[in-house]
Amino acid sequence: MIKQLLIGIVCSAAVLTFGILIGHFGINKSSNSAPSWVKDVTKDVDESFIEKFLSEVDNIQIQENLRELTKVPHMATTAGDEQTVQFMLKRWQDPETGLDQAWREEYMVYLSFPDPNNPNKVTVVSPSETVLYAAREKEKSYTPDQDDPEVVQPYAAYSPAGHPKGKLVYANQGKPSDYHLLNTTVDLRGTIAITRYGGAGRADKAINGAPYGVIGVLVYTDPLDINDGVMSDLNETYPHSWYLPPSGVERGSFNTHYGDLLTPYLAAKDETYRIPVKDITGIPPIPIQPIGFEDAYKLICELGGEAAPALWQGSFNCIYNFGGPGFKLTSAFNNSDVKLDIFNHEKLKNSSNVMGVIRGSVEPDRYVIYGNHRDSWVHGAIDPSSGTSVMLELTRVLGKMVKQGKWRPRRSIIFGSWGAEEFGLIGSAEYTEQYFTKLSERTVAYINVDIAVFANATLRASGMPSLQNVIFKASKQVDAPGLDSTSVYDNWIQYANRTSPTHGLIPKVGYLSGAGSDYAAFVHYLGITSMDISYTYDKSKTSARIYPAYHTAYDTFDYASKFIDPGFISHQAIARTAGNVLIRLADSLVLPLNCSDYAETLEDYLNTAVTLYEQQLQNRHISMEPIKRAVASFRNAATHLDQVIRSSDLANETPLKVRRINDQLMLLDRAFLDPLAFPEKYAFRHVIWASSSARKPTFPGLADAYAKAESLVESSAWDKVHYHLSVLSQAIEGAAHTLEDVI
């Protein structure tokens, strides 16, 4: 018995000891071995991966992308457009270099086209209807590209059809002030106005003239504004240089709203409700037609009447007169009218976005979106195919690394090849309307690269101030095209800079305050942190308002490769810079967004507003103290959040803390949205970046309301100024609260 008892005790002790040892080592092992997902969750951006990416972006690949994209004209919804759709899908579905998934999104949209069987005409006709002069219906050909039968005749999209005839007058840029001045000299009733591009939006040149009785409008590009005065195609303009030939005509969409005109705030699907055509706003009420400057020269130099002001004069070797109305008594066109025969028509057409995605490994429900429109007016080598060729190179490099298992981003990356942008940012706007909720809740940032390369001198970037730092960081890591040992950043700061109270001398980053490209819906409608980036020209060497072949039949591969970016090294620099920003936004543990830079901009805006408006507002018993307090609150909250980020070892914190901070950064711009702030501006809800007619470097709603109140007698107009001060104060205060610690 005793022996058995002793054996039992020994065995029990052995089992107990063995169990303790197992437990001890088992516990130690489990405490020192984190779950497999922890490494991925705490991983930050990999600098060596960015270096690898930069080394693999190939300028020759970009060149060949552009060559393929510009083989045929590809205006929205045409056969050429479908050809580019198929090309994008083929590339993004490639088994070796494609994306995780690619597909097309379809929208049924309202577009405007000329009638190929009845070309639009501009003529000078005598009282007996004899045609004394006819403007060109088609641009002059210099290369086989311009002879393609799919080259669309120059026209003004959304101009109504009609046949107005009247005496000609010159209305400068067609601004409200231009028509007002002209009307003090000339009776504008029943006249045709000729205007030049610039100063006012395309449609506004007709919208502003109609109330004065103008019945038709011509628009042209003056050589002063695009060619530095150069006019001859014998040895000065394309094909001898980048300058616009005399017959070149800038096409465009002549509407003031963005998105499909028949489905405001709704995605334009087949069965979507459409407003009646008669209820469309923001399009020309009278016919309008663009012409080349060779035809404008013939018309303007024959005009009678008084000489127009010095600021109205252009590059023609004649005095620009107001018009009698009509032509000089000594002119061969004396007593003749200008007649417009416009046969434009509207159609519902199917337009496609091509979408692609690389799924995120840790936060697949957070999106970084990169977009560029695909459609062009003709071949569109620069606008937009320079951007498309860059986007295809980014997806080739990143897609290959994903397919090879070498990389997968932390967050999902969505690529958008938008359709029908040229008709009013339609593809991107319809996308944001269709996926409004999902994009609002999940999108980290939007990167827009429309025209990637205007020219090859320097970087140009615009965006929310919170993105400034990551753009700087990316540009410092990229070599400037053609400059040894100089970064894009160092080159950029020589061309455009400002002095920051915090950072000292830095490159100047612009603001996305209008609707010039596909960032519009993301900024103004959704409040998503966005940027637009390109390479551009040295403004000290040319006064061109944009690259001269813009929206003409001369925007071809030949033009791009000879005069815009020989060797495609500026395209390569943009691909590297934009791709670097993209990777950092997709891979950084903490989003590389800086709220203190945003605070600096708000302070700049406030200081300007105080200087311009405070004394007058005090005289009307309207206080600016609330907005001063709001901006101060925002600065304090931004400083606090920056301190939290700097002082936290976030790689070793709970993932929920990182997610919380990232959500605060991601959602900041949503806090500036007010759907009631701008009832007269379609889909503009961001109170900091809305467009402004006052053109003051301050809060747009306040600036416009103040300018209007100053011009009106009614004291009630100042109530609107007070209203916008309250909107701003509460929006900025609300944004500050989103940056504070969660309660």
Side-chain angles (χ1 to χ4, degrees):
M1 284 286 294
I2 294 173
K3 182 178 180 181
Q4 289 176 337
L5 182 61
L6 289 173
I7 292 172
I9 290 171
V10 171
C11 289
S12 298
V15 169
L16 179 61
T17 302
F18 185 63
I20 290 171
L21 290 172
I22 291 175
H24 170 75
F25 287 108
I27 290 169
N28 276 352
K29 183 177 181 181
S30 62
S31 64
N32 292 330
S33 177
S36 60
W37 51 264
V38 171
K39 183 178 179 182
D40 290 336
V41 167
T42 59
K43 186 178 179 182
D44 205 350
V45 65
D46 184 347
E47 294 294 339
S48 65
F49 174 76
I50 288 180
E51 291 177 10
K52 176 69 171 172
F53 164 80
L54 296 177
S55 70
E56 295 208 4
V57 172
D58 188 342
N59 60 308
I60 301 304
Q61 290 279 354
I62 296 172
Q63 172 185 291
E64 294 312 305
N65 290 342
L66 190 68
R67 194 191 305 275
E68 185 68 31
L69 288 162
T70 55
K71 282 184 175 178
V72 297
H74 47 284
M75 189 167 69
T77 75
T78 64
D81 185 32
E82 177 61 23
Q83 193 168 313
T84 62
V85 168
Q86 295 301 326
F87 178 59
M88 300 296 293
L89 285 171
K90 181 180 179 182
R91 288 289 298 272
W92 285 356
Q93 292 172 346
D94 186 279
E96 295 182 357
T97 60
L99 308 177
D100 289 329
Q101 187 180 358
W103 65 98
R104 56 194 296 166
E105 296 269 8
E106 310 290 354
Y107 301 99
M108 188 63 68
V109 300
Y110 183 73
L111 305 183
S112 168
F113 301 96
D115 186 343
N117 298 317
N118 288 296
N120 295 342
K121 299 180 186 298
V122 176
T123 54
V124 178
V125 295
S126 69
S128 63
E129 294 291 319
T130 301
V131 174
L132 304 179
Y133 181 80
R136 276 184 180 270
E137 297 173 16
K138 182 181 178 182
E139 290 146 304
K140 182 177 177 181
S141 295
Y142 299 100
T143 66
D145 306 69
Q146 287 104 49
D147 293 323
D148 192 305
E150 293 303 312
V151 171
V152 68
Q153 178 201 16
Y155 77 112
Y158 300 109
S159 164
H163 307 277
K165 183 176 72 170
K167 295 290 186 280
L168 189 67
V169 294
Y170 171 56
N172 192 30
Q173 296 177 320
K175 303 187 298 290
S177 59
D178 293 335
Y179 281 112
H180 176 76
L181 176 61
L182 182 60
N183 193 55
T184 63
T185 305
V186 179
D187 183 355
L188 292 179
R189 289 174 295 178
T191 61
I192 304 292
I194 185 168
T195 64
R196 65 199 227 202
Y197 274 118
R202 296 186 187 101
D204 291 327
K205 297 176 189 298
I207 293 170
N208 295 337
Y212 291 95
V214 174
I215 60 173
V217 175
L218 297 174
V219 60
Y220 78 101
T221 302
D222 198 280
L224 180 68
D225 303 320
I226 202 78
N227 274 12
D228 298 316
V230 168
M231 293 177 58
S232 172
D233 66 344
L234 295 179
N235 57 8
E236 294 179 322
T237 64
Y238 182 78
H240 308 288
S241 74
W242 83 322
Y243 288 124
L244 180 67
S247 68
V249 183
E250 179 183 321
R251 298 150 180 80
S253 181
F254 284 64
N255 60 329
T256 61
H257 300 334
Y258 64 87
D260 178 56
L261 294 176
L262 290 182
T263 58
Y265 299 111
L266 296 169
K269 294 299 187 178
D270 284 344
E271 297 180 357
T272 300
Y273 166 76
R274 286 171 168 79
I275 65 172
V277 171
K278 65 180 178 60
D279 291 342
I280 292 175
T281 58
I283 60 175
I286 54 179
I288 183 168
Q289 174 70 15
I291 59 175
F293 68 74
E294 69 173 0
D295 290 315
Y297 175 85
K298 296 284 188 182
L299 299 174
I300 288 175
C301 288
E302 296 295 324
L303 278 174
E306 297 179 17
L311 290 176
W312 288 34
Q313 301 298 317
S315 284
F316 300 152
N317 59 350
C318 66
I319 300 298
Y320 291 44
N321 294 326
F322 286 131
F327 300 106
K328 301 172 185 174
L329 294 176
T330 56
S331 169
F333 299 157
N334 177 38
N335 203 32
S336 297
D337 292 329
V338 169
K339 185 181 182 186
L340 279 61
D341 291 296
I342 308 301
F343 299 95
N344 296 349
H345 61 285
E346 292 73 44
K347 287 183 179 178
L348 279 178
K349 298 273 291 194
N350 188 81
S351 178
S352 303
N353 290 343
V354 181
M355 309 301 300
V357 65
I358 298 175
R359 286 186 297 276
S361 59
V362 178
E363 300 180 84
D365 63 331
R366 290 293 179 263
Y367 311 145
V368 181
I369 305 177
Y370 183 111
N372 157 260
H373 74 94
R374 190 188 59 258
D375 67 300
S376 63
W377 284 112
V378 192
H379 292 87
I382 301 303
D383 182 12
S385 300
S386 63
T388 310
S389 62
V390 163
M391 180 164 64
L392 284 171
E393 177 61 1
L394 294 189
T395 58
R396 180 191 72 83
V397 175
L398 296 178
K400 182 178 70 171
M401 292 176 174
V402 169
K403 297 292 187 183
Q404 293 176 348
K406 296 179 179 178
W407 174 76
R408 182 163 291 281
R410 177 186 187 90
R411 303 174 184 93
S412 294
I413 301 174
I414 298 174
F415 294 96
S417 173
W418 314 120
E421 185 269 358
E422 295 292 7
F423 286 86
L425 318 181
I426 290 177
S428 56
E430 300 314 299
Y431 176 76
T432 60
E433 288 168 348
Q434 182 175 2
Y435 299 105
F436 175 87
T437 303
K438 183 165 67 171
L439 296 177
S440 296
E441 293 177 351
R442 301 180 181 179
T443 307
V444 167
Y446 173 67
I447 299 171
N448 193 68
V449 183
D450 180 346
I451 298 172
V453 179
F454 290 84
N456 55 9
T458 182
L459 189 71
R460 182 178 77 173
S462 299
M464 271 67 161
S466 52
L467 277 165
Q468 172 183 276
N469 188 58
V470 70
I471 298 172
F472 289 169
K473 190 164 189 175
S475 63
K476 288 176 180 177
Q477 293 183 300
V478 178
D479 294 333
L483 299 174
D484 294 335
S485 304
T486 302
S487 69
V488 165
Y489 178 93
D490 290 335
N491 182 57
W492 179 16
I493 203 171
Q494 296 177 37
Y495 286 91
N497 57 63
R498 70 179 183 89
T499 301
S500 159
T502 305
H503 308 294
L505 190 69
I506 56 175
K508 186 174 183 179
V509 177
Y511 301 138
L512 299 177
S513 54
S517 188
D518 287 301
Y519 53 75
F522 292 94
V523 172
H524 303 301
Y525 188 49
L526 296 184
I528 289 169
T529 303
S530 301
M531 60 175 279
D532 183 81
I533 191 170
S534 60
Y535 233 72
T536 191
Y537 42 82
D538 181 351
K539 291 187 177 181
S540 70
K541 294 182 178 178
T542 176
S543 61
R545 63 182 176 84
I546 199 167
Y547 71 96
Y550 174 70
H551 285 193
T552 73
Y554 307 113
D555 189 355
T556 61
F557 181 84
D558 178 73
Y559 180 83
S561 60
K562 287 182 180 177
F563 302 114
I564 298 297
D565 187 23
F568 289 82
I569 54 175
S570 294
H571 284 75
Q572 183 183 43
I574 283 295
R576 286 171 168 168
T577 306
N580 192 333
V581 173
L582 174 65
I583 293 166
R584 292 184 182 281
L585 287 168
D587 269 358
S588 294
L589 177 63
V590 178
L591 290 172
L593 303 176
N594 189 299
C595 299
S596 291
D597 287 340
Y598 219 129
E600 185 176 297
T601 296
L602 295 179
E603 289 162 351
D604 286 344
Y605 269 23
L606 175 63
N607 291 337
T608 301
V610 168
T611 301
L612 293 175
Y613 310 136
E614 186 170 41
Q615 187 59 56
Q616 176 76 307
L617 294 180
Q618 283 179 347
N619 295 341
R620 295 181 177 274
H621 308 292
I622 301 173
S623 174
M624 294 191 72
E625 291 307 311
I627 193 170
K628 292 179 182 179
R629 289 195 298 269
V631 171
S633 294
F634 188 94
R635 166 60 79 177
N636 291 336
T639 301
H640 173 70
L641 182 59
D642 284 349
Q643 180 61 30
V644 169
I645 294 171
R646 283 195 302 269
S647 62
S648 300
D649 182 10
L650 293 174
N652 292 310
E653 294 271 9
T654 168
L656 292 178
K657 181 174 182 179
V658 178
R659 179 81 162 192
R660 172 175 63 80
I661 291 172
N662 282 339
D663 281 354
Q664 289 176 287
L665 295 168
M666 177 182 78
L667 297 172
L668 172 59
D669 272 288
R670 314 296 199 274
F672 293 115
L673 296 180
D674 185 331
L676 302 179
F678 309 105
E680 73 286 0
K681 294 180 180 180
Y682 175 77
F684 279 84
R685 309 193 304 158
H686 201 300
V687 301
I688 309 300
W689 305 123
S691 62
S692 170
S693 57
R695 300 182 184 276
K696 302 292 184 183
T698 187
F699 307 107
L702 175 62
D704 285 355
Y706 186 93
K708 188 172 183 179
E710 271 197 317
S711 67
L712 297 175
V713 177
E714 299 87 10
S715 60
S716 61
W718 292 98
D719 294 340
K720 197 68 174 177
V721 179
H722 193 178
Y723 168 76
H724 272 287
L725 271 172
S726 298
V727 166
L728 284 165
S729 302
Q730 295 189 21
I732 295 169
E733 195 74 60
H737 288 311
T738 70
L739 300 181
E740 294 173 351
D741 292 335
V742 176
I743 58 171

